Amino acid sequence: MRAISRAESDRKTPDRAAARPVRRRLSVDRRREELINAALELFSRREAEDVSIDDVAIAAGASRALVYHYFGGKQELYLASLRSAAEELEARLRPENAGRPVERLSQALGRYFDFVEEHAAGFAALLKGGPANRAGEVGEIVEGVRRRLLRMITEEMRVADPGPVLRITLRSWIASVETAALDWLEHRDMERSELERMLIDHMTALLEVAGRHDHRVREIVTVE
């Protein structure tokens, strides 16, 4: 049998390296961020139990093994995605400028809606879902954002220990903001600036009503 020369062998053997899909070399943080962004997009449109690791891998252009390498499993990926969205949203709520409390609240609300608009998938994934998604660590992540927003508002009002009337009033307003943001993302049939002004007016009206039930709230409204 005639020996096959090296040159002939090279011509007959497919170039496996060339056949392999080329993967981008990304830093650990950048790759992790891409996986989280892909997961948030999927979790915003479907229930968490309907999203698989394979779905995330395909959406991110990564391998299944890589997703497991970074997160260990779907629940860990889900929690990491929600934490990422929550941390960025909380960072945007930090007061930046001086001015009257209502002005600073308006500015914070604007930054809140900046996040809603720029990271619609993360916001929707953070807040959507049924009761099953509100237990344990997931519920703690969502409640953490709400507590931060409540604390920010009471600090702006210079209220160290809000009573039940003020606490319920502010938590009701926060729930209204969340509902309004999700509705706005779904319909987009109202100018964002108009929605923000309406929510600030909503807060003013709620405080006026609360003031009828608690003189301390009435004093805050009078000072404003």
Side-chain angles (χ1 to χ4, degrees):
M1 180 181 292
R2 185 175 66 88
I4 300 176
S5 69
R6 175 68 179 271
E8 288 177 308
S9 176
D10 288 344
R11 285 197 300 272
K12 292 181 181 180
T13 303
D15 188 344
R16 294 181 181 176
R20 268 192 220 110
V22 177
R23 287 190 180 171
R24 293 171 298 160
R25 292 185 177 276
L26 299 174
S27 68
V28 171
D29 289 343
R30 181 59 183 154
R31 173 59 76 183
R32 190 174 186 277
E33 181 183 344
E34 282 201 346
L35 292 172
I36 284 177
N37 288 339
L40 284 173
E41 180 65 35
L42 292 169
F43 290 136
S44 72
R45 292 186 279 108
R46 289 148 58 182
E47 295 292 338
E49 55 267 26
D50 296 331
V51 177
S52 70
I53 289 292
D54 287 331
D55 292 332
V56 176
I58 291 169
S63 69
R64 191 171 189 265
L66 189 65
V67 181
Y68 276 110
H69 171 72
Y70 277 99
F71 300 101
K74 189 174 77 172
Q75 181 65 9
E76 290 82 0
L77 173 59
Y78 183 49
L79 291 173
S81 301
L82 295 187
R83 285 195 193 98
S84 175
E87 286 168 4
E88 182 166 353
L89 178 55
E90 286 187 22
R92 301 217 183 189
L93 297 178
R94 295 179 189 132
E96 293 182 347
N97 303 312
R100 295 171 60 238
V102 69
E103 293 170 347
R104 292 197 297 273
L105 178 61
S106 180
Q107 293 162 359
L109 187 63
R111 295 193 298 274
Y112 183 97
F113 272 91
D114 284 343
F115 176 86
V116 170
E117 189 164 16
E118 295 166 18
H119 303 279
F123 181 79
L126 187 64
L127 294 181
K128 281 185 176 180
N133 288 337
R134 291 294 171 258
E137 291 178 88
V138 176
E140 185 60 29
I141 292 169
V142 177
E143 283 304 314
V145 176
R146 291 170 179 156
R147 284 195 297 269
R148 170 60 187 160
L149 185 52
L150 177 64
R151 186 165 62 250
M152 183 204 76
I153 296 170
T154 54
E155 286 174 355
E156 292 299 324
M157 291 180 168
R158 294 178 174 80
V159 177
D161 184 23
V165 171
L166 181 57
R167 185 188 67 245
I168 291 170
T169 297
L170 297 180
R171 293 188 69 178
S172 298
W173 183 75
I174 291 169
S176 296
V177 171
E178 292 176 355
T179 302
L182 287 172
D183 183 89
W184 182 76
L185 281 177
E186 180 181 356
H187 299 287
R188 304 259 186 170
D189 53 0
M190 182 179 189
E191 290 294 330
R192 189 188 122 177
S193 57
E194 182 184 356
L195 176 58
E196 291 177 20
R197 287 194 300 271
M198 186 182 77
L199 288 170
I200 293 298
D201 289 344
H202 187 190
M203 165 72 91
T204 303
L206 284 174
L207 288 173
E208 289 176 356
V209 172
R212 301 173 197 163
H213 299 268
D214 187 331
H215 69 89
R216 291 171 298 177
V217 177
R218 186 164 59 249
E219 291 169 1
I220 293 171
V221 174
T222 302
V223 169
E224 290 300 316

